[in-house]
Amino acid sequence: MRQKLVVGNWKMHGSRASVADLLDKIVAAMPAAAPGVAVCPSYVHLSQAIQLCAGSAVAVGGQDCSHMQSGAYTGEVSAQMLADLGCRWVIIGHSERRQYHSESDSLVAAKLGAAMAAGLQVIVCVGETREQRESGEAEAVVASQLRGALDGQANLAGLVVAYEPVWAIGTGLTASPDQAQAMHAFIRGCLAGVAGIDADATRVLYGGSVKAGNAAELFARQDIDGALVGGAALDAGDFLAIVGAAQA
Ligand code: PEP
Protein backbone atom coordinates (compact mmCIF):
# COMPACT_ATOMS: atom_id res chain seq x y z
CA MET A 1 0.00 0.00 0.00
CA ARG A 2 1.58 3.27 -1.11
CA GLN A 3 0.96 6.29 1.13
CA LYS A 4 -0.45 9.17 -0.90
CA LEU A 5 1.71 12.28 -1.21
CA VAL A 6 0.67 15.87 -1.98
CA VAL A 7 3.44 18.36 -2.78
CA GLY A 8 2.97 22.09 -3.35
CA ASN A 9 5.33 23.70 -5.84
CA TRP A 10 5.15 27.41 -5.09
CA LYS A 11 7.43 28.35 -8.00
CA MET A 12 8.60 32.01 -7.94
CA HIS A 13 5.74 33.27 -5.80
CA GLY A 14 5.47 34.70 -2.32
CA SER A 15 6.80 37.16 0.21
CA ARG A 16 7.71 36.65 3.86
CA ALA A 17 4.20 37.82 4.76
CA SER A 18 2.39 35.53 2.32
CA VAL A 19 4.54 32.53 3.28
CA ALA A 20 3.69 33.08 6.95
CA ASP A 21 -0.01 33.48 6.19
CA LEU A 22 -0.20 30.40 3.94
CA LEU A 23 1.76 28.10 6.22
CA ASP A 24 -0.02 29.25 9.38
CA LYS A 25 -3.30 28.24 7.74
CA ILE A 26 -2.00 24.97 6.27
CA VAL A 27 -0.25 23.79 9.43
CA ALA A 28 -3.19 24.72 11.68
CA ALA A 29 -5.70 22.79 9.58
CA MET A 30 -3.58 19.76 8.64
CA PRO A 31 -5.64 16.66 9.43
CA ALA A 32 -4.22 14.34 12.09
CA ALA A 33 -4.13 11.38 9.70
CA ALA A 34 -2.70 13.41 6.85
CA PRO A 35 -1.13 11.73 3.83
CA GLY A 36 2.45 12.75 3.04
CA VAL A 37 2.48 16.52 2.57
CA ALA A 38 5.29 18.83 1.50
CA VAL A 39 5.65 22.40 0.29
CA CYS A 40 8.43 23.71 -1.94
CA PRO A 41 8.84 27.48 -1.63
CA SER A 42 11.58 29.52 -3.31
CA TYR A 43 15.09 29.19 -1.90
CA VAL A 44 14.83 32.49 -0.02
CA HIS A 45 11.73 31.34 1.87
CA LEU A 46 12.96 27.84 2.76
CA SER A 47 14.37 28.72 6.14
CA GLN A 48 11.20 30.54 7.17
CA ALA A 49 9.03 27.66 5.92
CA ILE A 50 11.09 25.08 7.81
CA GLN A 51 10.61 27.05 11.03
CA LEU A 52 6.87 27.44 10.46
CA CYS A 53 6.41 23.73 9.67
CA ALA A 54 8.56 22.46 12.56
CA GLY A 55 6.72 19.80 14.57
CA SER A 56 3.93 19.51 11.95
CA ALA A 57 3.19 16.87 9.33
CA VAL A 58 4.25 19.30 6.59
CA ALA A 59 7.73 18.73 5.17
CA VAL A 60 9.65 21.28 3.15
CA GLY A 61 11.57 20.86 -0.08
CA GLY A 62 13.51 22.74 -2.73
CA GLN A 63 12.28 23.28 -6.28
CA ASP A 64 15.67 22.40 -7.76
CA CYS A 65 19.31 21.92 -6.76
CA SER A 66 22.73 22.07 -8.34
CA HIS A 67 24.34 19.00 -9.84
CA MET A 68 27.61 20.05 -8.19
CA GLN A 69 28.52 19.53 -4.55
CA SER A 70 30.24 22.87 -3.88
CA GLY A 71 32.58 25.33 -5.50
CA ALA A 72 32.67 28.38 -7.74
CA TYR A 73 29.14 28.09 -9.18
CA THR A 74 27.65 31.53 -8.69
CA GLY A 75 23.93 31.47 -7.99
CA GLU A 76 23.71 27.72 -7.46
CA VAL A 77 22.39 25.93 -4.35
CA SER A 78 23.65 22.45 -3.59
CA ALA A 79 21.57 19.49 -2.47
CA GLN A 80 23.75 19.30 0.63
CA MET A 81 22.82 22.91 1.49
CA LEU A 82 19.13 22.03 1.23
CA ALA A 83 19.57 18.99 3.47
CA ASP A 84 21.65 20.96 5.97
CA LEU A 85 18.90 23.58 6.19
CA GLY A 86 16.30 20.94 7.03
CA CYS A 87 14.70 20.23 3.67
CA ARG A 88 13.43 16.69 3.21
CA TRP A 89 12.49 16.89 -0.46
CA VAL A 90 13.69 18.29 -3.76
CA ILE A 91 11.98 18.54 -7.15
CA ILE A 92 14.26 17.69 -10.09
CA GLY A 93 13.64 18.08 -13.83
CA HIS A 94 10.51 20.23 -13.68
CA SER A 95 9.39 21.11 -17.22
CA GLU A 96 9.93 24.81 -16.49
CA ARG A 97 13.59 24.03 -15.73
CA ARG A 98 13.84 21.95 -18.89
CA GLN A 99 12.12 24.68 -20.96
CA TYR A 100 13.56 27.94 -19.58
CA HIS A 101 16.96 26.68 -18.42
CA SER A 102 17.59 24.10 -21.14
CA GLU A 103 18.03 21.28 -18.65
CA SER A 104 18.93 18.08 -20.46
CA ASP A 105 18.23 14.54 -19.30
CA SER A 106 21.89 14.15 -18.38
CA LEU A 107 21.81 17.28 -16.20
CA VAL A 108 18.62 16.00 -14.56
CA ALA A 109 20.42 12.69 -13.91
CA ALA A 110 23.40 14.49 -12.34
CA LYS A 111 21.10 16.55 -10.11
CA LEU A 112 19.23 13.42 -9.07
CA GLY A 113 22.50 11.72 -8.13
CA ALA A 114 23.61 14.75 -6.11
CA ALA A 115 20.26 14.96 -4.30
CA MET A 116 20.23 11.26 -3.43
CA ALA A 117 23.82 11.49 -2.17
CA ALA A 118 22.75 14.37 0.10
CA GLY A 119 19.99 12.20 1.59
CA LEU A 120 17.10 14.17 0.10
CA GLN A 121 13.90 12.53 -1.10
CA VAL A 122 13.68 13.20 -4.82
CA ILE A 123 10.68 13.93 -7.01
CA VAL A 124 11.75 13.60 -10.65
CA CYS A 125 9.38 15.16 -13.18
CA VAL A 126 8.63 13.80 -16.64
CA GLY A 127 5.99 14.69 -19.20
CA GLU A 128 5.30 15.33 -22.86
CA THR A 129 4.32 18.53 -24.69
CA ARG A 130 1.00 18.94 -26.48
CA GLU A 131 2.68 18.44 -29.87
CA GLN A 132 4.32 15.23 -28.67
CA ARG A 133 0.99 13.88 -27.38
CA GLU A 134 -0.82 14.81 -30.58
CA SER A 135 1.79 13.06 -32.68
CA GLY A 136 1.51 9.89 -30.59
CA GLU A 137 4.93 10.23 -28.98
CA ALA A 138 3.88 10.73 -25.33
CA GLU A 139 4.96 7.31 -24.06
CA ALA A 140 8.24 7.36 -25.98
CA VAL A 141 9.09 10.81 -24.59
CA VAL A 142 8.28 9.84 -21.01
CA ALA A 143 10.20 6.55 -21.30
CA SER A 144 13.22 8.38 -22.68
CA GLN A 145 13.12 11.01 -19.89
CA LEU A 146 12.91 8.24 -17.30
CA ARG A 147 15.82 6.31 -18.83
CA GLY A 148 17.85 9.51 -19.09
CA ALA A 149 17.33 10.35 -15.42
CA LEU A 150 17.47 6.89 -13.85
CA ASP A 151 19.83 4.65 -15.82
CA GLY A 152 23.08 4.03 -14.02
CA GLN A 153 22.10 5.75 -10.75
CA ALA A 154 23.82 4.24 -7.73
CA ASN A 155 20.90 4.95 -5.40
CA LEU A 156 17.21 5.38 -6.17
CA ALA A 157 15.80 4.63 -2.72
CA GLY A 158 12.44 6.27 -2.07
CA LEU A 159 12.35 7.92 -5.51
CA VAL A 160 9.07 9.61 -6.43
CA VAL A 161 8.14 10.24 -10.08
CA ALA A 162 5.81 13.09 -11.05
CA TYR A 163 4.02 12.74 -14.38
CA GLU A 164 3.37 16.30 -15.49
CA PRO A 165 2.10 16.64 -19.05
CA VAL A 166 3.49 20.02 -20.12
CA TRP A 167 0.21 20.91 -21.81
CA ALA A 168 -1.61 20.65 -18.47
CA ILE A 169 0.75 22.75 -16.33
CA GLY A 170 -0.71 26.11 -15.40
CA THR A 171 -3.14 25.94 -18.32
CA GLY A 172 -6.30 24.82 -16.57
CA LEU A 173 -6.27 21.71 -18.80
CA THR A 174 -6.03 18.52 -16.77
CA ALA A 175 -5.28 15.08 -18.13
CA SER A 176 -8.46 13.06 -17.74
CA PRO A 177 -8.29 10.40 -15.02
CA ASP A 178 -8.15 7.79 -17.82
CA GLN A 179 -5.26 9.56 -19.60
CA ALA A 180 -3.37 10.03 -16.33
CA GLN A 181 -3.97 6.46 -15.14
CA ALA A 182 -2.80 5.05 -18.48
CA MET A 183 0.45 7.02 -18.35
CA HIS A 184 1.02 6.21 -14.67
CA ALA A 185 0.63 2.49 -15.38
CA PHE A 186 3.05 2.89 -18.29
CA ILE A 187 5.56 4.68 -16.00
CA ARG A 188 5.25 1.92 -13.40
CA GLY A 189 6.00 -0.60 -16.14
CA CYS A 190 9.12 1.39 -17.13
CA LEU A 191 10.23 1.55 -13.48
CA ALA A 192 9.98 -2.22 -13.22
CA GLY A 193 12.91 -2.45 -15.62
CA VAL A 194 15.17 -0.08 -13.64
CA ALA A 195 17.76 -1.60 -11.30
CA GLY A 196 17.38 -0.47 -7.69
CA ILE A 197 13.67 0.38 -7.90
CA ASP A 198 10.70 -1.47 -6.45
CA ALA A 199 8.13 -0.34 -9.02
CA ASP A 200 5.12 -1.43 -6.97
CA ALA A 201 6.28 0.59 -3.97
CA THR A 202 7.27 3.70 -5.96
CA ARG A 203 4.90 6.64 -5.79
CA VAL A 204 3.91 8.23 -9.09
CA LEU A 205 2.32 11.67 -8.66
CA TYR A 206 0.19 13.48 -11.20
CA GLY A 207 0.77 17.19 -11.85
CA GLY A 208 -1.03 19.57 -14.15
CA SER A 209 -3.87 21.86 -13.03
CA VAL A 210 -4.84 19.68 -10.05
CA LYS A 211 -7.56 21.45 -8.08
CA ALA A 212 -9.92 20.79 -5.22
CA GLY A 213 -12.58 19.84 -7.78
CA ASN A 214 -10.63 17.20 -9.73
CA ALA A 215 -8.25 15.73 -7.14
CA ALA A 216 -10.53 13.02 -5.77
CA GLU A 217 -11.26 11.39 -9.13
CA LEU A 218 -7.57 11.42 -10.04
CA PHE A 219 -6.57 9.94 -6.67
CA ALA A 220 -9.17 7.19 -7.02
CA ARG A 221 -7.15 5.66 -9.87
CA GLN A 222 -4.96 2.69 -9.08
CA ASP A 223 -1.60 4.12 -10.11
CA ILE A 224 -2.07 7.78 -9.10
CA ASP A 225 -0.38 8.16 -5.75
CA GLY A 226 -0.93 11.86 -5.13
CA ALA A 227 -0.16 15.16 -6.80
CA LEU A 228 2.42 17.80 -7.49
CA VAL A 229 0.36 20.97 -7.28
CA GLY A 230 1.31 24.40 -8.65
CA GLY A 231 -1.30 27.17 -8.72
CA ALA A 232 -3.74 25.57 -6.26
CA ALA A 233 -0.95 25.16 -3.70
CA LEU A 234 -0.87 28.94 -3.21
CA ASP A 235 -4.33 28.97 -1.64
CA ALA A 236 -4.55 27.31 1.77
CA GLY A 237 -8.19 26.23 1.32
CA ASP A 238 -7.55 24.70 -2.11
CA PHE A 239 -4.37 22.95 -1.02
CA LEU A 240 -6.04 21.56 2.11
CA ALA A 241 -8.95 20.29 0.03
CA ILE A 242 -6.50 18.42 -2.22
CA VAL A 243 -4.77 17.01 0.87
CA GLY A 244 -8.21 15.97 2.15
CA ALA A 245 -8.97 14.20 -1.12
CA ALA A 246 -5.69 12.27 -0.79
CA GLN A 247 -6.65 11.25 2.72
CA ALA A 248 -10.07 9.93 1.79
C1 PEP B 1 3.56 22.35 -11.55
O1 PEP B 1 4.11 23.38 -11.88
O2 PEP B 1 4.22 21.41 -11.10
C2 PEP B 1 2.11 22.28 -11.70
C3 PEP B 1 1.55 21.10 -11.69
O3 PEP B 1 1.44 23.47 -11.86
P1 PEP B 1 -0.17 23.67 -11.94
O4 PEP B 1 -0.77 22.84 -10.83
O5 PEP B 1 -0.37 25.14 -11.74
O6 PEP B 1 -0.59 23.20 -13.28
Side-chain angles (χ1 to χ4, degrees):
M1 177 75 174
R2 298 179 292 269
Q3 188 202 30
K4 290 257 193 300
L5 174 65
V6 177
V7 180
N9 172 14
W10 292 0
K11 310 194 185 191
M12 197 172 71
H13 291 292
S15 62
R16 287 185 59 77
S18 70
V19 167
D21 181 57
L22 190 49
L23 283 178
D24 281 349
K25 288 176 180 155
I26 289 172
V27 167
M30 192 53 54
V37 179
V39 293
C40 299
S42 79
Y43 287 136
V44 297
H45 295 130
L46 283 172
S47 197
Q48 183 193 9
I50 288 163
Q51 277 178 12
L52 290 166
C53 294
S56 81
V58 183
V60 177
Q63 298 173 14
D64 183 34
C65 68
S66 174
H67 62 299
M68 304 301 287
Q69 286 190 348
S70 67
Y73 302 103
T74 302
E76 290 287 271
V77 173
S78 73
Q80 188 55 49
M81 288 172 178
L82 295 179
D84 181 51
L85 201 62
C87 287
R88 290 241 317 268
W89 290 94
V90 67
I91 300 168
I92 300 289
H94 191 281
S95 63
E96 288 154 11
R97 301 290 318 168
R98 296 179 191 258
Q99 183 180 351
Y100 302 128
H101 301 272
S102 306
E103 289 199 2
S104 62
D105 286 340
S106 60
L107 182 59
V108 172
K111 289 184 174 200
L112 196 155
M116 286 286 183
L120 293 170
Q121 290 189 263
V122 179
I123 300 163
V124 65
C125 301
V126 295
E128 80 287 357
T129 63
R130 186 168 56 83
E131 294 73 22
Q132 289 164 336
R133 175 160 283 267
E134 285 172 359
S135 60
E137 294 172 87
E139 288 189 349
V141 167
V142 166
S144 156
Q145 289 174 338
L146 283 172
R147 271 196 312 276
L150 306 185
D151 280 0
Q153 294 286 352
N155 177 15
L156 290 169
L159 182 81
V160 171
V161 176
Y163 169 56
E164 297 209 307
V166 178
W167 48 271
I169 296 179
T171 58
L173 296 175
T174 314
S176 70
D178 284 350
Q179 282 174 318
Q181 166 57 31
M183 186 60 89
H184 282 227
F186 174 76
I187 288 171
R188 204 173 299 289
C190 293
L191 294 177
V194 178
I197 290 196
D198 177 349
D200 281 339
T202 299
R203 288 178 287 188
V204 184
L205 310 184
Y206 171 76
S209 300
V210 175
K211 303 180 196 70
N214 60 20
E217 57 173 351
L218 287 162
F219 296 163
R221 296 309 178 101
Q222 190 183 342
D223 289 291
I224 301 182
D225 304 314
L228 182 53
V229 186
L234 296 169
D235 180 280
D238 289 345
F239 187 67
L240 286 162
I242 295 167
V243 169
Q247 189 191 11

